Amino acid sequence: MIRAKTLDGADLAWNGETGGVWVDAQGVTEEELARLRAAFPLNRLAVEDALEQGHWSRAEGYPEHAFITVRSFTRPEEPDEFTERVSIFAFPHAVLTLSSAGTRALNNVWNLVGRESVNTPGEVVYELLDQTADTFFVLADTLEERVDALEEEVFQNRRHNPIPKVFDLKHLLAQARRLSADAREATLLLTRHSDPGSADLLRYRDAQDSFTRASGRLDGLRDHLTGLLDLHLGLQSQRMNEVMRTLTAVSVIFLPLTFLAGVWGMNFHFIPELSWRYGYALAWGSFLLIGGLLAYSFKRRGWW
């Protein structure tokens, strides 16, 4: 599918125009690709990068045009591992975008074309990059909410095991950091190939700064997850210490009782308490008194 708009914002039935237009091609066929090649002087290497499945973010300044391809997440609000990519060919008076089925950023910017701040090729490229960077901020917000909820679960239920969820988030976060870093490096290369002192250079630097800040937030989330994992292990260790302390206190209470029971259980013929009428009551009274005093002492000290 090929659709086109003038940079003034008017929809256009594209018939090969290459001046003052933005041509968006999605899931192009061989015939549509041939039409694009006939209209635009597309560099062969750039076209190969744009059509290659799973290609990473990169940029290059070719003699025919500037080129950048950036990958981001399809549904950053959910989030999941599905990604999307848009490849941008920037000409002096036109923009060509190639993608498999459009992207979130592309669809947003398509409706902005024609406004005062989005009516030149450089402004269209900047908006596409800036909107792509916004998807990483949306993803960071979603991941922050998940991490906060997971942290609350850890505190509310110490028996809950968050490790599988933590590693799932760390895996997704590693992918997000890699994509944002690649997009940042690609935008940096685009700025290097821009004309010094041009307005487009300032715009691309702003987009680069957005990717840098997104990468910084994702790095902070990685540290937060690592801290959450350490917190869980610390809480488990504390809980184990509390259990061991309680067991130790119970063992100490029964230690003197076991000693007395062992003394009175010896097989000597002359043990006065055994023949005394109140010997049995004395034994139980000794057990209860000693055990009670030790339990009271441990309770006052907070040992159980």
Side-chain angles (χ1 to χ4, degrees):
M1 180 190 73
I2 297 179
R3 58 179 180 172
K5 261 189 176 184
T6 66
L7 295 179
D8 294 332
D11 291 329
L12 178 69
W14 188 67
N15 292 314
E17 292 86 354
T18 59
V21 295
W22 174 11
V23 179
D24 176 42
Q26 301 180 14
V28 292
T29 62
E30 291 293 335
E31 180 183 352
E32 291 172 335
L33 183 59
R35 288 181 59 197
L36 294 173
R37 287 180 179 273
F40 294 97
L42 302 178
N43 184 277
R44 178 181 60 84
L45 297 177
V47 173
E48 290 178 357
D49 288 343
L51 296 179
E52 181 181 345
Q53 294 293 326
H55 201 287
W56 61 88
S57 300
R58 67 175 297 270
E60 189 60 70
Y62 295 104
E64 301 88 349
H65 53 75
F67 171 77
I68 184 170
T69 179
V70 289
R71 182 176 292 278
S72 60
F73 286 88
T74 305
R75 298 185 294 268
E77 299 92 348
E78 295 197 10
D80 52 36
E81 297 182 351
F82 292 99
T83 61
E84 58 190 10
R85 181 168 61 100
V86 59
S87 300
I88 308 169
F89 300 78
F91 297 91
H93 304 290
V95 178
L96 169 64
T97 53
L98 288 180
S99 60
S100 59
T103 67
R104 177 192 183 99
L106 190 150
N107 295 331
N108 290 340
V109 179
W110 186 261
N111 298 322
L112 299 178
V113 175
R115 298 184 181 182
E116 182 178 353
S117 59
V118 193
N119 54 21
T120 67
E123 291 171 348
V124 171
V125 174
Y126 163 73
E127 287 294 336
L128 286 171
L129 295 176
D130 191 56
Q131 293 277 349
T132 301
D134 286 344
T135 62
F136 289 101
F137 285 106
V138 174
L139 177 70
D141 291 337
T142 305
L143 291 178
E144 283 178 355
E145 291 178 0
R146 288 196 175 187
V147 172
D148 290 341
L150 193 57
E151 188 176 41
E152 187 174 352
E153 288 181 14
V154 170
F155 276 109
Q156 289 182 349
N157 184 6
R158 295 187 180 184
R159 295 181 180 273
H160 174 68
N161 182 16
I163 293 180
K165 292 182 179 180
V166 169
F167 278 103
D168 287 342
L169 288 177
K170 285 177 72 71
H171 176 74
L172 182 61
L173 188 58
Q175 182 185 12
R177 291 176 60 249
R178 183 173 62 253
L179 291 181
S180 63
D182 289 345
R184 179 188 60 199
E185 294 302 320
T187 309
L188 175 61
L189 288 176
L190 188 64
T191 61
R192 291 177 179 175
H193 294 296
S194 301
D195 294 332
S198 66
D200 291 341
L201 177 61
L202 298 178
R203 296 189 184 96
Y204 297 157
R205 284 179 176 173
D206 183 75
Q208 177 194 346
D209 180 66
S210 296
F211 283 115
T212 300
R213 288 186 288 109
S215 297
R217 286 191 61 183
L218 294 172
D219 285 338
L221 276 174
R222 179 189 60 176
D223 296 337
H224 197 170
L225 278 176
T226 302
L228 179 60
L229 190 59
D230 293 339
L231 173 64
H232 167 69
L233 296 177
L235 290 175
Q236 291 301 309
S237 178
Q238 179 186 2
R239 181 172 176 270
M240 181 61 67
N241 290 337
E242 292 175 353
V243 171
M244 293 302 298
R245 184 176 61 190
T246 301
L247 292 177
T248 302
V250 172
S251 301
V252 170
I253 290 174
F254 279 93
L255 184 62
L257 308 187
T258 304
F259 170 76
L260 291 177
V263 170
W264 288 324
M266 291 187 295
N267 294 321
F268 290 106
H269 183 71
F270 295 104
I271 299 179
E273 296 91 338
L274 297 181
S275 58
W276 186 34
R277 179 179 179 182
Y278 300 104
Y280 184 70
L282 174 65
W284 271 109
S286 301
F287 293 158
L288 295 176
L289 178 62
I290 295 173
L293 289 175
L294 288 175
Y296 176 72
S297 177
F298 293 156
K299 187 68 174 180
R300 286 194 61 185
R301 289 174 169 80
W303 291 357
W304 85 356

